[in-house]
Amino acid sequence: MSQTDAKNVRVSKMQLSKDSIHQKKILNPETEKGHVISEDFSVFYGNTEAIVKANLSMPAKKVTAIIGPSGCGKSTVLRAINRMNDLIPGCYAKGKLIFDDEDIYSQYTDVVLLRKRIGMVFQKPNPFPKSIFDNIAFGPRLCGIRRKSDLQEVFEKSCRQAALWDEVKDRLEDNALGLSGGQQQRLCLARALAVDPEILLMDEPTSALDPRATSKIEDLIRELRGTYTIIIVTHNMQQAARVSDYTAFFYEGVLIEFAPTSELFTNPREKKTEEYITGRFG
Amino acid sequence: MKAHTRKILDKSFTGMGFMSVILLTLSLVIVLGPIFVRGIQAFLFFDTVEYRRMQLDLFDRGDPEEVKAELDEVWAERRFIYDTIAAFEEQVENEEIENSWEYPEKIDSLNDSLKALFGPRPDEPEPVLPRDRYGETRWDRAQQTFKLVMYKEQWDYSDPSAMGSKVLVPRIDSFRGTTVEQIFPYMEENLEKLMLPEFTFYWQFLTDKSHDIHFFGGIGAEVLGTFYLVIGTMLFAIPIGVIAAIYLAEFAKEGKIVSLLRTAISTLAGVPSIVFGLFGLAFFINTMEVSQSKSVLAGSLTLTLLVLPTIIRAAEEAILAVPKAYKEASLSLGASKLYTILKVILPAAMPGILTGIVISMGRAAGETAPIIFTAAVSVGQPLGLFETLNQPTMALPWNIYNLVTEHEAVDQIRHVQFGMVFTLVLLVVVLNFAAIVLRARISKKLRG
Amino acid sequence: MYRPGRMLRPVHSSATFLDGNGKVAVSQTTLNAGPTPGRSAKRSIYISEGTSRWRRFVSFSIEGFLFLVTSLSLIAVFFIILFIAIDAIPFFQLEGFTEFFTSIRWYPSGSPPEFGALAIIFGSGMVTFLAAMIAVPLALLSAVSLSDILPFSVRQFAKPVIEIIAAIPSVAYGFFALVVFAPILQTSGGHLLGILVWLFGAPLALIVSFVVGDMLADRIFGDNVTQVQRTAILLLLMGIFSVGLYFLYAPISAIKISSGTNALNVSIILGIMALPTIVSVSEDALQAVGRELREGSYALGATRAETITKVVIPAARSGIIAAIILGIMRAIGETMVVWMASGNASQIPSPWYNVLEPVRTLTATIAGDMGEADHVTGSSRYHVLFAMALFLLLISFFSNLISEWAVMRSKKKWGV
């Protein structure tokens, strides 16, 4: 990168972060409540600032997509919400990240309580090497549910929600690793739903799946919207356009634009956004 | 160099590689071959009527009626030999034959060799030591002893410049022209009738206690002692090792202290085993006084230090090999770190941890030097469970050493020694095969 | 509020579900499949300051406990050095250093006792050196073949073999050395040595004659050398070598070995025992040299042998050095084999390189003399054994540090 380029980036960063303060206004406070709200929220890996003072408000019971080129910090944002970033040594956050009127990064926050309310589906399906039933019962058991009949009820409900019930109802005791990739991912979704979360974080949930399994997951996302707040990271813009209500575009750790999806894709306000969605880079 | 030559060099290099692996395998076969072939003979062998008598007397095994019938049968055959000798002795005493003065010594020698083969006659008073009470109990031993009945060992010093050499002189020559002469061909023809060899599978060798310092019986006390030592060692080593591995893999932040810990672990792995023995003596027994003197407890503690690095390394490796995705999934569901480790990571790492445990069990069973001063005795009784806290024990590795180097009749109990080594090696090899199979299953799981 | 259509869980479990503080609070909460506006119990992600402090205390104590258990290894190493030193130092106070390191007269129970350990240290050094001479070439070749040459199927078979060699207890090796190997060495040692010379000499001669023959053929006949000429030279060389080996066999097989329990016996067995360590550690080092480097070399037209000797082995050098050190450590520290089969004569063989004479080592002396010295705790006789142990310990400690440093260096270099 030449010197002038570097300068440009810095300048644009400053401008953008100023602009993005106004992003909150896109939500109508009467009808839409921000479920996760970030205020000047930054994440650092050691000395590098991976997220630069992001300000956005992700509405409750809607699907918010986070897009951007790889390495732009979209996963970092997502993992900040359930504090999975804590696992990375040298990673810390500044600013505020509000979830349901409480600060996720407050010193009184208990990550266990937090994560029980925020489910997550990962990039690669990661079922435990246990039976299908034990996979889904893992969360409920954590909450102290021990009775078999209760567990079975939760199991059936979550499986139905994840459109998995018909495929697994006869093989509860089979090893979950024996399922196909798409089924595994839906199992992971069901597993997350079984703890009755309020928010579902999805970190590129379809990137390891074939088209048919992908469309199944997308259908599920559409079905679950209205019940859960869903935040999905994707590198696939079509996917973001298909499933999300709102889209946030990140570039080099900076929130460039946050808008209703239809608006962002048809009429982007920022030049960078336009360049990205028209495929100029990324 | 020409391309042609380089190619030949390359080929010969490959050839040397194959050769080295063949040599490696060969050395394993050469070491294990004799141990296995001769070790099995401690379990599977042809016994004699003396063996059945011994088993009935000492272990209360077999049908008394049957043994008595067999004894009557062989003594009916043997009677002829003893009667002939007795008659000849009488002749000698009455000086009825020429040169009768030279015979008593020869007869004594013959009688001794017969006693070694057949045991004492029924009319003789029962000897004190069990080893004198019975003739040869094994057919292979009986055939060797029979050779000493037929031939007398003498030393030949005819060549003054070299060491004396052993020669075998036929005994029959010294009784030429007498009535005794006929017993030699008789014995040669009827040896089987005199001893009644029978094939047997003596699996109780593993569990029987020994009689008269391994002249008879099995290695039960040693097996039990080794078992105690291994279990005791694992009781200490598994929790400490697995906890240390968990700490190193999941909690430790790399820094000076942790690298010091790692250096300590690899240093511990490099300490000579005999030094562990001395340390066990100086620390656990003389300083801590975990027991008055040698005990299974002190030995187990010493062995724990020895196997600890193996377990820690294997367990840490296994924990680190667990995909990070499992951990993330568990944490994202709201599980605490400890819960995640106990319920997700450890179960997934279990095969790898088990591999380390199984291998170190083999080491604990086979190590000799650390238990010499801390746990092992040469002669003793099988211990009860609570005696392990303050009593020393017999153990396979130590008693192998002891029987081979310090036993009074090393050559006569070769089969016991080989049986013991075979048992120990088999134990270790089986444990290691279990580890290999476990590991193969893990890699299959990771691949599939 | 109660909507049967969505009600999928009984009331009490839902209460457990929603309660975040780990208490099972039975509430009259409405049941929801998700966070609907009807949710009446607010789930907080906060905990009180007391709870937070308590949590931190618990996790701190758990971590502290784990750390303490882990540091047992460190404590053990510290105590081992401490306790061996405590019992070793009195010896040097009583007897000084000179005799121990310079005299070869070892009569600890004589009057006056003599504690010259030079012969014993020499014995340890001798069998270790010899064992290394046997083990290192064989082990390195095996490691190279395992990592680069052999097909996967053979590798699958060879690995367990190496593991079993490592696993066989030392007392079993000692038993083999004493009961099986020593008598053979004693009765037909010369022939055995002769066969060994053939076993190693013949393949070596074959290779050398192939290579030298090839080069000679090119040198003598120039570029248009025919196959017949090549073969002729090859046969000629092979003939010379086999005649040489044949005449070598006669004097070697005439060697009489007066005692089967000698330095050669234990060195061979120790060599076998040290094999697995060297093979596995150096194989790891060779594997750590990435594929890129190998492919780079192949791309320049190097043969496999050239790639291995000129690229892979130099790159893995420090790992291989560490492997050799660890293997040697195994040989120095080994007790049972040398105790059982070295003959235990505290003497420097005459001439000093005569490997067919009995020797005695440090480890065997500790093991053998402690039984008697234990009754005279506190005497020089007791402490001298700890002095020997300290000597061994220091050697192993420093070798370990060196090998660790070597491994670290290779790791840094290859970033694995």
Side-chain angles (χ1 to χ4, degrees):
Chain A
M1 201 188 277
S2 71
Q3 252 185 349
T4 48
D5 279 350
K7 215 174 179 181
N8 282 342
V9 169
R10 221 175 299 137
V11 168
S12 70
K13 266 185 188 177
M14 278 170 61
Q15 285 173 346
L16 286 167
S17 27
K18 259 184 216 156
D19 283 352
S20 55
I21 295 172
H22 308 293
Q23 300 282 337
K24 262 192 271 181
K25 289 177 188 160
I26 60 158
L27 295 181
N28 179 351
E30 298 294 310
T31 54
E32 289 168 313
K33 185 176 169 286
H35 206 183
V36 177
I37 302 160
S38 74
E39 286 170 11
D40 284 348
F41 181 71
S42 307
V43 178
F44 296 83
Y45 293 124
N47 290 327
T48 35
E49 195 167 7
I51 301 293
V52 187
K53 293 196 174 167
N55 284 287
L56 82 165
S57 169
M58 303 182 209
K61 299 189 207 327
K62 290 278 172 11
V63 180
T64 305
I66 301 175
I67 60 169
S70 38
C72 70
K74 29 185 211 299
S75 285
T76 309
V77 174
L78 196 75
R79 288 166 156 264
I81 296 171
N82 66 348
R83 293 211 13 201
M84 287 302 271
N85 281 341
D86 292 10
L87 294 183
I88 301 162
C91 178
Y92 64 99
K94 266 187 190 162
K96 274 189 175 167
L97 190 61
I98 313 269
F99 162 56
D100 223 5
D101 302 331
E102 290 174 319
D103 189 356
I104 290 174
Y105 280 87
S106 143
Q107 60 165 321
Y108 297 114
T109 305
D110 185 62
V111 286
V112 170
L113 296 181
L114 173 75
R115 288 173 188 157
K116 276 182 186 162
R117 293 173 62 189
I118 301 181
M120 186 163 186
V121 177
F122 294 83
Q123 195 165 359
K124 269 192 201 147
N126 57 352
F128 299 123
K130 301 178 178 198
S131 73
I132 293 169
F133 183 82
D134 284 344
N135 258 284
I136 290 175
F138 186 88
R141 279 187 178 132
L142 269 175
C143 301
I145 299 182
R146 291 264 170 266
R147 230 192 304 161
K148 186 84 180 168
S149 58
D150 295 350
L151 286 173
Q152 251 151 1
E153 240 171 304
V154 178
F155 177 79
E156 185 175 342
K157 190 199 97 184
S158 324
C159 282
R160 283 191 194 282
Q161 276 186 311
L164 193 66
W165 175 249
D166 293 331
E167 288 153 84
V168 301
K169 64 182 177 203
D170 302 323
R171 42 196 291 211
L172 302 187
E173 295 308 318
D174 286 11
N175 192 332
L177 295 177
L179 296 171
S180 76
Q183 288 171 325
Q184 285 190 9
Q185 194 62 304
R186 275 179 283 142
L187 180 75
C188 293
L189 181 62
R191 184 176 64 185
L193 292 174
V195 277
D196 193 18
E198 292 158 39
I199 297 182
L200 265 181
L201 306 177
M202 297 187 165
D203 190 355
E204 304 194 20
T206 59
S207 65
L209 304 181
D210 60 42
R212 196 187 291 171
T214 302
S215 78
K216 252 192 174 158
I217 297 274
E218 287 179 9
D219 290 346
L220 274 172
I221 295 173
R222 276 191 286 267
E223 253 168 59
L224 293 170
R225 138 165 109 201
T227 318
Y228 301 96
T229 304
I230 296 174
I231 301 167
I232 175 170
V233 161
T234 177
H235 57 241
N236 179 341
M237 276 176 283
Q238 282 76 23
Q239 186 171 60
R242 280 196 298 268
V243 300
S244 70
D245 304 303
Y246 293 89
T247 302
F249 171 56
F250 273 84
Y251 179 71
E252 294 198 340
V254 181
L255 175 63
I256 306 281
E257 187 167 352
F258 180 54
T261 303
S262 52
E263 205 174 295
L264 187 128
F265 278 97
T266 51
N267 188 15
R269 275 178 296 160
E270 298 288 339
K271 200 160 176 293
K272 267 271 180 280
T273 319
E274 193 188 341
E275 280 174 1
Y276 181 68
I277 57 178
T278 50
R280 216 83 54 86
F281 68 92
Chain B
M1 246 188 275
K2 293 266 160 116
H4 192 250
T5 320
R6 285 171 55 199
K7 222 170 178 176
I8 285 179
L9 259 177
D10 188 45
K11 286 227 173 89
S12 42
F13 193 75
T14 308
M16 267 159 67
F18 271 95
M19 274 286 296
S20 64
V21 172
I22 291 171
L23 265 173
L24 218 69
T25 316
L26 205 66
S27 57
L28 181 68
V29 171
I30 288 174
V31 172
L32 286 190
I35 291 176
F36 272 50
V37 169
R38 293 190 59 183
I40 286 174
Q41 289 171 22
F43 296 88
L44 295 168
F45 57 92
F46 283 93
D47 64 3
T48 66
V49 65
E50 296 296 318
Y51 172 83
R52 300 190 276 279
R53 186 158 73 91
M54 178 270 286
Q55 286 279 312
L56 185 65
D57 283 1
L58 300 179
F59 296 99
D60 213 11
R61 235 171 250 145
D63 180 9
E65 300 294 316
E66 211 174 290
V67 174
K68 192 169 180 309
E70 279 181 338
L71 277 173
D72 288 344
E73 193 185 327
V74 291
W75 278 107
E77 302 280 342
R78 291 172 187 180
R79 174 91 17 229
F80 169 71
I81 304 165
Y82 287 106
D83 284 350
T84 313
I85 296 174
F88 180 64
E89 257 180 309
E90 215 165 290
Q91 283 180 332
V92 172
E93 225 162 88
N94 301 339
E95 298 187 11
E96 285 167 23
I97 40 176
E98 278 178 64
N99 297 333
S100 56
W101 53 270
E102 65 179 25
Y103 281 111
E105 195 192 329
K106 287 178 180 170
I107 291 173
D108 279 352
S109 160
L110 175 65
N111 271 334
D112 284 349
S113 67
L114 282 175
K115 201 170 183 174
L117 181 61
F118 296 135
R121 280 177 310 214
D123 49 340
E124 275 179 275
E126 190 167 67
V128 184
L129 288 175
R131 75 188 77 160
D132 300 327
R133 271 182 234 160
Y134 309 97
E136 287 298 352
T137 55
R138 295 167 61 96
W139 181 236
D140 52 352
R141 293 277 322 152
Q143 280 166 316
Q144 279 179 29
T145 311
F146 179 63
K147 208 178 248 166
L148 296 182
V149 174
M150 298 298 285
Y151 300 92
K152 197 173 156 55
E153 261 182 11
Q154 274 179 351
W155 288 91
D156 177 17
Y157 294 106
S158 54
D159 182 1
S161 66
M163 277 206 329
S165 58
K166 225 192 261 179
V167 284
L168 292 173
V169 184
R171 248 183 238 277
I172 193 166
D173 290 349
S174 41
F175 293 102
R176 285 269 177 238
T178 67
T179 46
V180 178
E181 199 182 352
Q182 57 182 318
I183 68 167
F184 293 101
Y186 173 79
M187 284 196 289
E188 204 153 29
E189 264 168 45
N190 296 308
L191 188 59
E192 287 197 22
K193 279 188 196 158
L194 293 166
M195 298 303 283
L196 295 180
E198 219 172 70
F199 190 73
T200 183
F201 175 34
Y202 180 38
W203 61 268
Q204 294 99 331
F205 181 72
L206 280 181
T207 52
D208 276 350
K209 61 181 208 165
S210 87
H211 274 273
D212 199 6
I213 327 173
H214 285 294
F215 273 99
F216 305 114
I219 55 172
E222 285 86 351
V223 172
L224 185 72
T226 297
F227 179 76
Y228 279 145
L229 280 170
V230 170
I231 297 297
T233 306
M234 289 303 127
L235 279 182
F236 295 113
I238 293 175
I240 299 177
V242 174
I243 287 177
I246 290 173
Y247 179 79
L248 289 174
E250 293 290 332
F251 288 89
K253 293 166 193 71
E254 293 302 322
K256 279 236 167 75
I257 294 178
V258 171
S259 77
L260 189 67
L261 282 177
R262 289 188 192 280
T263 310
I265 290 165
S266 68
T267 308
L268 204 57
V271 171
S273 53
I274 186 78
V275 176
F276 279 114
L278 277 192
F279 173 70
L281 172 69
F283 183 69
F284 291 124
I285 295 178
N286 289 349
T287 309
M288 297 282 288
E289 297 186 4
V290 296
S291 55
Q292 278 280 297
S293 66
K294 296 180 191 177
S295 70
V296 176
L297 179 63
S300 301
L301 287 168
T302 311
L303 284 171
T304 298
L305 296 181
L306 183 103
V307 300
L308 205 51
T310 317
I311 294 192
I312 294 179
R313 281 178 185 166
E316 192 192 348
E317 220 165 274
I319 291 172
L320 288 178
V322 174
K324 229 172 124 192
Y326 294 166
K327 187 172 157 189
E328 286 188 338
S330 168
L331 290 175
S332 80
L333 289 169
S336 64
K337 190 168 184 180
L338 206 62
Y339 188 90
T340 303
I341 289 170
L342 291 178
K343 291 282 167 132
V344 177
I345 296 179
L346 279 188
M350 201 38 85
I353 297 176
L354 272 181
T355 311
I357 290 175
V358 161
I359 286 177
S360 49
M361 280 171 87
R363 271 203 81 185
E367 275 295 341
T368 321
I371 62 169
I372 301 174
F373 316 129
T374 55
V377 281
S378 319
V379 190
Q381 291 294 316
L383 296 185
L385 189 57
F386 289 103
E387 289 173 309
T388 54
L389 294 177
N390 53 20
Q391 297 283 315
T393 182
M394 303 170 84
L396 283 172
W398 168 252
N399 284 78
I400 289 169
Y401 168 79
N402 192 59
L403 282 194
V404 175
T405 56
E406 282 164 17
H407 195 269
E408 49 199 299
V410 171
D411 279 324
Q412 283 178 42
I413 54 157
R414 282 281 182 240
H415 58 280
V416 182
Q417 299 163 3
F418 271 101
M420 233 184 231
V421 179
F422 172 69
T423 308
L424 181 62
V425 170
L426 195 68
L427 176 77
V428 171
V429 168
V430 164
L431 281 174
N432 271 272
F433 258 111
I436 290 166
V437 170
L438 261 174
R439 203 169 316 143
R441 276 188 50 190
I442 302 168
S443 65
K444 211 169 162 191
K445 211 165 161 190
L446 287 180
R447 261 186 273 133
Chain C
M1 298 282 270
Y2 178 71
R3 287 171 296 169
R6 310 198 61 182
M7 156 82 183
L8 287 159
R9 284 192 315 275
V11 172
H12 64 269
S13 67
S14 158
T16 340
F17 239 59
L18 301 178
D19 182 87
N21 292 321
K23 288 179 216 142
V24 180
V26 180
S27 71
Q28 273 75 49
T29 316
T30 317
L31 290 161
N32 297 300
T36 57
R39 185 190 293 280
S40 60
K42 172 144 171 62
R43 300 199 281 185
S44 173
I45 59 171
Y46 285 174
I47 43 177
S48 70
E49 196 173 340
T51 322
S52 152
R53 214 176 281 154
W54 172 247
R55 287 272 171 88
R56 258 177 290 159
F57 172 72
V58 167
S59 73
F60 177 78
S61 17
I62 288 174
E63 204 173 322
F65 170 72
L66 296 182
F67 174 76
L68 278 183
V69 172
T70 311
S71 55
L72 279 180
S73 316
L74 183 63
I75 297 170
V77 170
F78 177 70
F79 271 32
I80 288 173
I81 297 174
L82 182 73
F83 273 83
I84 300 292
I86 282 179
D87 271 327
I89 289 166
F91 169 76
F92 294 113
Q93 282 173 342
L94 289 168
E95 311 288 335
F97 289 91
T98 333
E99 189 189 18
F100 185 75
F101 286 110
T102 55
S103 162
I104 60 163
R105 295 181 57 79
W106 176 257
Y107 298 106
S109 57
S111 59
E114 291 179 76
F115 298 103
L118 183 63
I120 296 172
I121 295 172
F122 179 85
S124 267
M126 183 177 188
V127 293
T128 305
F129 178 75
L130 212 59
M133 293 298 291
I134 294 165
V136 168
L138 193 58
L140 289 190
L141 261 177
S142 309
V144 167
S145 357
L146 279 178
S147 82
D148 276 81
I149 295 177
L150 294 178
F152 187 70
S153 54
V154 183
R155 233 177 285 177
Q156 291 293 83
F157 157 83
K159 286 238 164 159
V161 168
I162 291 167
E163 271 164 43
I164 300 286
I165 293 179
I168 295 175
S170 55
V171 73
Y173 280 113
F175 180 81
F176 174 82
L178 177 63
V179 176
V180 182
F181 195 40
I184 295 176
L185 216 52
Q186 199 159 340
T187 49
S188 46
H191 295 283
L192 199 71
L193 289 179
I195 291 169
L196 274 180
V197 165
W198 265 97
L199 203 64
F200 285 95
L204 209 68
L206 201 68
I207 290 168
V208 170
S209 49
F210 261 113
V211 174
V212 173
D214 210 66
M215 285 162 79
L216 270 183
D218 285 332
R219 178 73 49 84
I220 296 171
F221 299 106
D223 281 339
N224 42 4
V225 52
T226 63
Q227 203 57 45
V228 181
Q229 287 165 327
R230 269 189 205 284
T231 319
I233 289 190
L234 179 67
L235 286 178
L236 185 73
L237 278 172
M238 275 163 72
I240 293 172
F241 276 121
S242 34
V243 169
L245 275 175
Y246 178 79
F247 281 109
L248 202 62
Y249 181 79
I252 287 177
S253 65
I255 293 174
K256 283 263 182 294
I257 298 176
S258 57
S259 166
T261 53
N262 57 32
L264 180 69
N265 182 337
V266 288
S267 299
I268 291 174
I269 304 294
L270 285 182
I272 295 175
M273 291 175 77
L275 276 176
T277 316
I278 310 181
V279 173
S280 54
V281 178
S282 52
E283 196 213 333
D284 284 347
L286 291 170
Q287 295 259 314
V289 178
R291 249 212 354 243
E292 298 78 19
L293 214 64
R294 291 184 169 89
E295 280 169 359
S297 168
Y298 288 131
L300 292 172
T303 62
R304 187 156 64 180
E306 287 159 351
T307 304
I308 292 168
T309 51
K310 291 186 184 144
V311 177
V312 180
I313 291 180
R317 199 174 47 214
S318 23
I320 291 174
I321 290 172
I324 293 173
I325 291 173
L326 289 178
I328 289 176
M329 283 311 308
R330 175 103 210 252
I332 291 187
E334 178 47 50
T335 310
M336 294 318 288
V337 172
V338 287
W339 192 16
M340 289 166 91
S342 70
N344 283 331
S346 168
Q347 55 162 11
I348 291 181
S350 61
W352 60 271
Y353 51 81
N354 187 350
V355 295
L356 299 177
E357 284 205 12
V359 291
R360 183 174 204 171
T361 68
L362 290 166
T363 50
T365 309
I366 298 173
D369 286 13
M370 197 44 149
E372 290 145 34
D374 198 13
H375 307 300
V376 284
T377 315
S379 70
S380 298
R381 229 180 123 190
Y382 176 80
H383 292 306
V384 72
L385 302 178
F386 279 87
M388 287 176 167
L390 185 66
F391 188 59
L392 279 173
L393 195 59
L394 290 179
I395 293 176
S396 87
F397 187 64
F398 285 112
S399 327
N400 202 55
L401 283 186
I402 294 171
S403 79
E404 190 125 298
W405 171 79
V407 169
M408 202 84 95
R409 222 181 64 160
S410 76
K411 268 190 186 168
K412 232 177 226 161
K413 207 156 146 200
W414 304 110
V416 269

